[in-house]
């Protein structure tokens, strides 16, 4: 099952909790970017590996992430 | 394309003032999702405490009331008695509920007030900078216990759920945690159940949610989740203490 996650980047507080729960380990912090709050936001680069499990979104305290099943 | 997860309508668009990784945010979301899924958003009236969640009234999209420190159960009592068809909840920290508000919660439970309490236990006074709470663990450092809580000086941490479970009209008492995804799902189930029990008019219900305070614990958000799991759960076991099936 393929999935797609989108990050409401400027809501992200860079806490990294989402990066610890992804079963395929694709959620990372984007060290090349700084958001409006001054944090490196979370992101996914290898989107084709996402299985749309929703774990990253459920772990996020700041409702940054939306998950879709493709 | 099907949506697997999106932000609930139970939360406003406002971004929270909580520290990065603070699990107050997860608990807010679980309450908001539960209200939305049960169709209670238009009927819900929440009571915010004094503590880090003092601005909860800005984050929930239902009606909200602010209470003075520890007095949310008294406000909720009045609101529910005047509006018996509404879904009333208090959202309280451990300093608010177990310290200054200890009498309020005990007596609301004793009277069997038909509202729901979401009790966020992070074993510290978060908002005021990390003072010892009644729930602070033995050996845990706080600004008022710089060497760690000493049993001979400050007693043993208060197990609120166990205490309230002895009260006949506290018909639903459950302790949950939000340190990982499976526990977050279980926490949501308990919160939903507590609201269902309220709407059936069965009595008082409380869900104690073990939560982190990475800022005052002096840890990263990821380390704080691990600390919760390894230190809080052994003393504050995750379990249901009372449910209406056992209440005749
Ligand atoms: C009558 C009164 N006494 C004391 C305070 C100071 N005070 C504000 S918040 C708080 C404790 C907050 O801790 P907790 O309820 O655990 O919430 P947290 O911030 O940890 O979520 C205290 C003692 C106050 N605001 N009002
Ligand atoms: S939905 Fe699941 S698989 Fe996809 S990024 Fe999030 S945690 Fe990883
Ligand atoms: S859990 Fe949320 S706030 Fe924290 S890093 Fe991930 S997306 Fe950002
Ligand atoms: S001080 Fe602690 S409880 Fe308060 S917002 Fe920060 S992490 Fe959360
Ligand atoms: Mg607290």
């Amino acid at each position: 099952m393929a999935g797609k996650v989108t990050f409401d980047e400027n809501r992200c507080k860079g806490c990294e909790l989402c990066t610890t729960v992804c079963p395929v380990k694709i959620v990372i912090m984007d060290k090349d970017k700084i958001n409006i709050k001054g944090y490196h936001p979370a992101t996914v680069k290898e989107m084709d590996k996402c299985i749309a499990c929703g774990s990253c979104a459920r772990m996020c305290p700041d409702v940054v992430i939306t998950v879709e099943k493709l | 394309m099907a949506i697997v997860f999106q932000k609930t309508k139970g939360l406003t668009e406002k971004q929270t003032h909580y520290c990065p990784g603070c699990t107050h945010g997860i608990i807010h979301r679980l309450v908001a999702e539960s209200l939305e899924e049960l169709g209670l958003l238009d009927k819900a009236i929440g009571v915010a405490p004094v503590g880090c969640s003092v601005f909860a009234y800005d984050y929930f999209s239902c009606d909200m009331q602010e209470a003075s420190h520890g007095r949310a159960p008294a406000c909720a009592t009045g609101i529910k008695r005047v509006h018996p068809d509404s879904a009333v909840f208090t959202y309280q920290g451990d300093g608010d509920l177990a310290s200054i508000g200890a009498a309020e919660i005990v007596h609301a439970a004793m009277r069997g007030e038909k509202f729901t309490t979401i009790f966020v236990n992070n074993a510290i006074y978060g908002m005021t900078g990390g003072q010892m709470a009644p729930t602070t663990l033995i050996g845990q450092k706080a600004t008022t216990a710089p060497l760690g809580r000493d049993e001979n000086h400050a007693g043993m941490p208060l197990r609120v759920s166990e205490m309230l479970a002895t009260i006949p009209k506290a018909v639903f008492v459950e302790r949950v945690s939000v340190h990982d995804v499976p526990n977050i799902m279980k926490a949501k189930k308990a919160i939903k159940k507590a609201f269902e029990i309220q709407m059936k008019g069965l009595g008082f219900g409380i869900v104690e949610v073990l939560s982190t305070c990475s800022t005052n614990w002096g840890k990263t958000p990821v380390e704080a989740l691990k600390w919760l799991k390894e230190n809080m759960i052994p003393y504050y076991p995750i379990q249901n203490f009372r449910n209406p099936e056992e209440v005749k």
Side-chain angles (χ1 to χ4, degrees):
Chain A
M1 181 175 51
K4 187 182 152 212
V5 289
T6 26
F7 294 81
D8 189 347
E9 223 167 61
N10 282 330
R11 290 184 72 101
C12 179
K13 294 177 183 167
C15 73
E16 307 187 3
L17 296 191
C18 54
T19 67
T20 65
V21 295
C22 176
V24 292
K25 301 198 164 32
I26 54 173
V27 186
I28 53 166
M29 304 314 288
D30 193 344
K31 300 288 179 197
D32 299 327
K33 246 191 206 169
I34 293 177
N35 73 4
I36 200 163
K37 293 192 170 83
Y39 298 114
H40 293 306
T43 191
V44 164
K45 295 257 154 85
E46 302 166 89
M47 199 66 84
D48 51 310
K49 291 190 183 157
C50 175
I51 56 167
C53 68
S55 293
C56 53
R58 288 191 178 89
M59 197 69 225
C60 176
D62 290 281
V63 274
V64 171
I65 308 170
T66 302
V67 184
E68 290 163 286
K69 202 189 291 180
L70 298 177
Chain B
M1 261 194 325
I3 298 284
V4 174
F5 183 98
Q6 66 184 347
K7 186 174 152 297
T8 165
K9 290 186 182 67
L11 292 172
T12 63
E13 286 306 313
K14 183 123 181 161
Q15 297 185 37
T16 72
H17 69 293
Y18 297 120
C19 305
C22 176
T23 45
H24 265 302
I26 298 175
I27 302 164
H28 279 31
R29 194 189 73 230
L30 298 182
V31 173
E33 286 175 351
S34 300
L35 291 172
E36 186 188 13
E37 287 166 24
L38 294 168
L40 292 173
L41 276 178
D42 290 341
K43 285 183 160 190
I45 307 172
V47 186
V50 174
C52 278
S53 48
V54 67
F55 298 131
Y57 51 75
D58 276 342
Y59 306 142
F60 288 103
S61 60
C62 59
D63 285 338
M64 294 292 290
Q65 167 70 46
E66 177 59 47
S68 51
H69 202 17
R71 273 57 181 176
C75 284
T77 296
I79 293 168
K80 183 71 182 189
R81 286 184 176 214
V82 173
H83 299 288
D85 297 331
S86 56
V88 179
F89 67 97
T90 71
Y91 185 103
Q92 302 177 257
D94 47 332
D96 189 83
L97 182 144
S99 204
I100 193 168
E104 296 286 338
I105 197 70
V106 167
H107 286 261
M110 179 205 71
R111 297 190 303 269
E113 299 295 344
K114 295 175 185 64
F115 65 81
T116 303
T117 289
I118 309 300
F119 168 42
V120 179
N121 181 1
N122 59 8
I124 201 109
Y125 289 3
M127 181 200 197
T128 42
Q131 293 82 4
M132 181 170 58
T135 43
T136 297
L137 295 174
I138 298 302
Q140 183 187 338
K141 287 191 177 134
T143 55
T144 48
L147 303 177
R149 181 175 182 157
D150 174 1
E151 166 184 350
N152 296 314
H153 181 70
M156 292 294 285
L158 191 62
R159 291 188 176 107
V160 170
S161 288
E162 285 83 341
M163 176 180 73
L164 294 179
T166 66
I167 299 175
K169 283 184 182 285
V171 294
F172 185 76
V173 182
E174 184 157 329
R175 186 185 288 117
V176 296
S177 177
V178 290
H179 66 279
D180 60 22
V181 176
N183 278 285
I184 288 170
M185 313 276 264
K186 276 195 239 163
K188 166 130 170 236
K189 251 178 114 174
I191 291 169
K192 259 179 122 163
K193 191 161 184 207
F195 277 113
E196 282 169 346
I197 285 159
Q198 175 184 166
M199 297 324 280
K200 285 185 187 145
L202 297 178
F204 174 76
I206 181 168
V207 181
E208 173 176 350
V209 190
L210 302 181
S211 189
T212 61
C213 178
S214 56
T215 298
N216 289 299
W217 293 358
K219 295 182 169 30
T220 66
V222 173
E223 286 165 359
L225 293 180
K226 188 166 179 271
W227 191 89
L228 184 166
K229 182 177 173 204
E230 290 172 0
N231 296 277
M232 288 184 81
I233 293 173
Y235 191 82
Y236 297 120
I238 293 171
Q239 72 179 83
N240 178 276
F241 296 94
R242 294 292 301 279
N243 65 68
E245 280 84 58
E246 69 164 275
V247 177
K248 299 288 177 279

